[in-house]
């Protein structure tokens, strides 16, 4: 059973995107949505949560179209690093429990990736991720729903931290999967109004062996307001680390 589990995990790692065609046809389990996002083992037609839905505001849809068009238009222009690729977003199927023991099917069928655990469109985390071809930058278009309220009328700081960890962790996973968060430093500058759309931009600062140092900022879509700044450290881990109890 252990050998079978490891085989499936390596199969997931081989799904890392190498181009638009593969990205659209295979689930990028480690690079999409931080660690281990994949199509549900109980679903033949997994839902891609990063596609537009009726809850998206006009600004969210405008930015999605902007970056998606950049990706499509640049598909045949070579690998100059300047174009963007959308990452699909699937719910996680939780396959491993503590000690490498499988969860029961009853529990496993209810497992949800945290940011996708509320299925009501627009109620919580609405976002789509793009990465630049040279993998030096990752960008997220984020719209916060009413269930993420902290200060009256504004987004909870923990929800902002979750999105920063999601974006920077996805970025680190693109560079070297699998990874785990070692440190996350956040400075909150200005509150984010509920229902508004913001940009979360992640930039690779440096790499030192297994360590990836990444900086991140959350800003208004026109760049006029800085909401949050952060730095993150991610460490590459081995497959055996994931299976260890």
């Amino acid at each position: 059973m252990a050998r079978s589990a490891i085989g499936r995990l390596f199969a997931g790692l081989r799904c890392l995107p190498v181009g638009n065609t593969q990205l659209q046809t295979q689930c990028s389990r480690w690079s999409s949505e931080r660690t281990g996002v994949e199509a549900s083992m109980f679903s033949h037609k997994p839902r891609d949560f990063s596609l537009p839905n009726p809850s998206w505001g006009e600004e969210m849809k405008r930015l999605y179209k902007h970056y998606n068009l950049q990706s499509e238009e640049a598909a045949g222009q070579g690998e100059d690093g300047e174009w963007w690729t959308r990452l699909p977003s699937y719910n996680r199927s939780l396959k491993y429990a503590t000690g490498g023991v499988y969860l029961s099917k009853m529990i496993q069928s209810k497992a949800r990736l945290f940011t996708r655990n509320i299925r009501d469109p627009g109620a919580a985390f609405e976002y789509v991720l793009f990465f630049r071809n040279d993998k030096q930058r990752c960008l997220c278009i984020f719209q916060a729903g009413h269930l993420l309220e902290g200060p009256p009328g504004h987004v909870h700081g923990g929800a902002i931290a979750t999105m920063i960890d999601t974006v920077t962790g996805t970025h680190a996973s693109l560079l070297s999967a699998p990874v785990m968060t070692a440190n996350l430093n956040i400075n909150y500058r200005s509150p984010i109004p509920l229902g508004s759309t913001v940009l979360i931009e992640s930039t690779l600062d440096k790499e030192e062996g297994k360590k990836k140092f990444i900086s991140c900022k959350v800003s208004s879509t026109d760049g006029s307001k800085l909401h949050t700044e952060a730095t993150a450290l991610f460490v590459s881990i081995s497959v055996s680390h994931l299976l260890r109890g």
Side-chain angles (χ1 to χ4, degrees):
M1 183 177 291
R3 185 179 297 113
S4 176
I6 293 174
R8 281 192 295 273
L9 185 56
F10 270 111
L13 297 180
R14 287 196 297 270
C15 286
L16 286 173
V18 294
N20 276 350
T21 301
Q22 183 179 7
L23 184 67
Q24 297 301 326
T25 57
Q26 294 188 18
C27 171
S28 177
R29 290 176 180 156
W30 280 99
S31 63
S32 175
E33 305 265 2
R34 188 125 145 44
T35 54
V37 178
E38 55 182 290
S40 171
M41 65 180 292
F42 299 99
S43 173
H44 296 294
K45 295 182 179 179
R47 174 185 170 188
D48 185 349
F49 287 88
S50 67
L51 295 174
N53 67 62
S55 75
W56 284 20
E58 291 303 314
E59 185 68 353
M60 182 90 171
K61 290 185 285 188
R62 182 187 71 81
L63 288 167
Y64 172 86
K65 182 178 180 181
H66 172 74
Y67 286 102
N68 210 40
L69 283 175
Q70 283 192 35
S71 175
E72 293 173 359
E73 290 174 352
Q77 295 180 8
E79 299 185 358
D80 58 4
E82 295 300 323
W83 51 273
W84 297 87
T85 299
R86 184 183 69 88
L87 283 168
S89 173
Y90 302 109
N91 250 331
R92 176 181 299 154
S93 170
L94 188 58
K95 289 188 176 182
Y96 306 105
T98 302
V101 180
Y102 285 104
L103 296 175
S104 72
K105 288 186 178 180
M106 181 178 295
I107 297 174
Q108 182 170 309
S109 65
K110 297 178 180 179
R112 295 284 183 271
L113 180 67
F114 179 69
T115 53
R116 302 300 185 188
N117 63 358
I118 299 172
R119 291 183 176 273
D120 296 338
F125 298 92
E126 288 291 341
Y127 65 96
V128 55
L129 282 158
F130 292 86
F131 71 91
R132 207 172 71 168
N133 186 49
D134 60 7
K135 299 181 182 178
Q136 299 299 297
R137 291 177 60 199
C138 192
L139 180 140
C140 173
I141 309 166
F142 172 52
Q143 177 182 290
H146 63 277
L147 294 182
L148 301 185
E149 186 176 34
H154 293 84
V155 184
H156 193 288
I160 298 170
T162 294
M163 284 308 305
I164 290 173
D165 190 41
T166 295
V167 176
T168 55
T170 296
H171 191 174
S173 294
L174 285 167
L175 298 165
S176 176
V179 298
M180 295 191 77
T181 311
N183 181 269
L184 186 60
N185 254 329
I186 300 177
N187 292 310
Y188 298 96
R189 304 296 186 190
S190 177
I192 301 173
L194 281 177
S196 64
T197 299
V198 296
L199 291 178
I200 307 174
E201 300 175 80
S202 171
T203 303
L204 175 66
D205 293 329
K206 63 179 179 178
E207 296 183 76
E208 293 180 357
K210 295 183 177 182
K211 297 179 180 180
K212 317 295 177 188
F213 296 86
I214 294 175
S215 59
C216 184
K217 67 176 182 178
V218 184
S219 60
S220 58
T221 57
D222 62 2
S224 63
K225 180 171 289 187
L226 177 64
H227 293 290
T228 313
E229 290 179 301
T231 57
L233 168 61
F234 293 89
V235 178
S236 300
I237 59 174
S238 65
V239 174
S240 62
H241 184 89
L242 294 174
L243 302 179
R244 190 183 307 146

